[in-house]
Amino acid sequence: LQWLLDNYETAEGVSLPRSSLYNHYLRHCQEHKLDPVNAASFGKLIRSVFMGLRTRRLGTRGNSKYHYYGIRLKPESPLNRLQEDTQYMAMRQQPIHQKQRYRAAQKMDGMAESASNSNPHTTPEQSVAAQCQHHQQFIDVTHVFPEFPAPDLGNVLLQEGFTLNDVKTLQVLYRRHCEATLDVVMHLQFHYIEKLWQSFWSPKAPPSDGPTALPSSEEEPEGTLPKDKLITLCKYEPILKWMRSCDHILYQALVEILIPDVLRPVPSTLTQAIRNFAKSLEGWLMNAMSEFPPQVVQTKVGVVSAFAQTLRRYTSLNHLAQAARAVLQNTSQINQMLSDLNRVDFANVQQEQASWVCQCEEGMVQKLEQDFKLTLQQQSSLDQWASWLDNVVTQVLKHHEGSPSFPKAARQFLLKWSFYSSMVIRDLTLRSAASFGSFHLIRLLYDEYMFYLVEHRVAQATGETPIAVMGEFGDLTSLSPTLLDKDDIGELSTEVDPERALGEPLVKRERSEPGHSLQDI
């Protein structure tokens, strides 16, 4: 009992194979010359120590193993150094016959190379596992996965050959698939996402009763769904709409797990691993769904592209935040910025340029100018600046709270904020301000953080996830009516090219447009 308490602890959202725990116990008995109990008795013992422990079966069909869900090794436990556990950390979803491919797969996470160089006396498996465990302190491993909504079939009759039981089976299977995806990401084993998607959407050797390739619960019977029925169900509009809503919930949860605080410093290796993961997502999904109709693939890829775009934006925002900290903590730079800012002719910016374009209330603009200078003069920390920016958003949008015009007002605020800040930067440029570089960095950060704040306010106001609000604006057919008011709908219907709106995913469009790199910044 004491050995269990010394080495394990309860934790939401994580799991350990039952066989690993028993092997740890056998090793402990061998080292201390104790007679071990059998596996069944050991299982009862664990449940008596860690109350409420659940059992799940995870892995692909035919290769699944029972796991204890809600328990993990303590970070300081010596068991973390065992070879068995380091392999488990990276191979928990991997069939036995694929273990020899593990080293090649590590490279995909973007962490193996730096990890293997850190200590020449450790194996690559041990280094990667140790780094994964170190990185987990920067992510939210306690995140609770929200429930999925039920599909709204309305009064539309199911197509011939389908029953409500088929829909319920799909609900269970897709929920389990999403839980497995979340579990793998929470353990930072990004390369297994490709295998999970392949096993669900395009299994290589499906059994005669159809593919599942999903984690299943010990308490629930495993359902099956033939692939042709899965494809046809996905073409059914209410099911496709339901699946998109589930994807929004899943990917928003993954964003909140991987980047719980966009301003908190994180290791560069973790940031690069997340960016490499985002870069691969779209290709992985398109390969896995190569046999599905284009409309289904387009809908699925649209959401995953929004997820990838969000990861890139948030990691870039985090990178900017770390660079800005150095500026905000430098007293001489702050004094120079304040001196240069006091030379800016704000009256000219407001009266001769911005007032005609933005039509903002002059009193509000002057107050923001004074507050900005005061906050700068006080040499505020990055967290204090973040609080100030949040208050600005609250002040500007408070008159639109609860109104259908809230999303439009929020977008207009972003445009006006960007216009004013560009006018100030223009004035500093013309004056050859010594602190221009510092202002440029700060301006980039504050614009990005404003975008982050506004997308979350709009999501809160409309009842959507931030990914649904920001990521899917390119696809007019997928927008929730709460995100558009009448004026928006009228403008979009006349100004947006439908083929452009329903064309390639957002990520592809973003990649085709020129942009600056973080190194340039």
Side-chain angles (χ1 to χ4, degrees), residues 3 68 102 127 145 219 227 269 287 312 314 321 338 391 401 472 513:
W3 175 81
Y68 288 120
Y102 172 57
S127 298
F145 193 22
E219 293 79 12
K227 186 172 182 179
T269 48
N287 289 337
R312 280 195 299 272
Y314 286 10
L338 193 60
N391 288 334
E401 290 180 359
E472 302 244 3
E513 295 170 358

Side-chain angles (χ1 to χ4, degrees), residues 253-305:
L254 296 184
V255 169
E256 292 169 5
I257 287 170
L258 291 173
I259 313 175
D261 184 351
V262 292
L263 301 181
R264 180 189 179 188
V266 297
S268 59
T269 48
L270 177 58
T271 299
Q272 190 58 50
I274 294 174
R275 293 182 70 83
N276 290 341
F277 174 52
K279 190 185 300 183
S280 305
L281 285 168
E282 189 179 331
W284 287 348
L285 186 60
M286 293 181 73
N287 289 337
M289 300 188 69
S290 58
E291 298 179 26
F292 280 71
Q295 180 188 3
V296 177
V297 176
Q298 179 182 316
T299 300
K300 292 284 297 178
V301 171
V303 184
V304 84
S305 297

Side-chain angles (χ1 to χ4, degrees), residues 180-192:
T181 301
L182 183 138
D183 196 49
V184 169
V185 170
M186 195 173 284
H187 284 83
L188 302 176
Q189 300 302 325
F190 299 133
H191 51 274
Y192 290 125

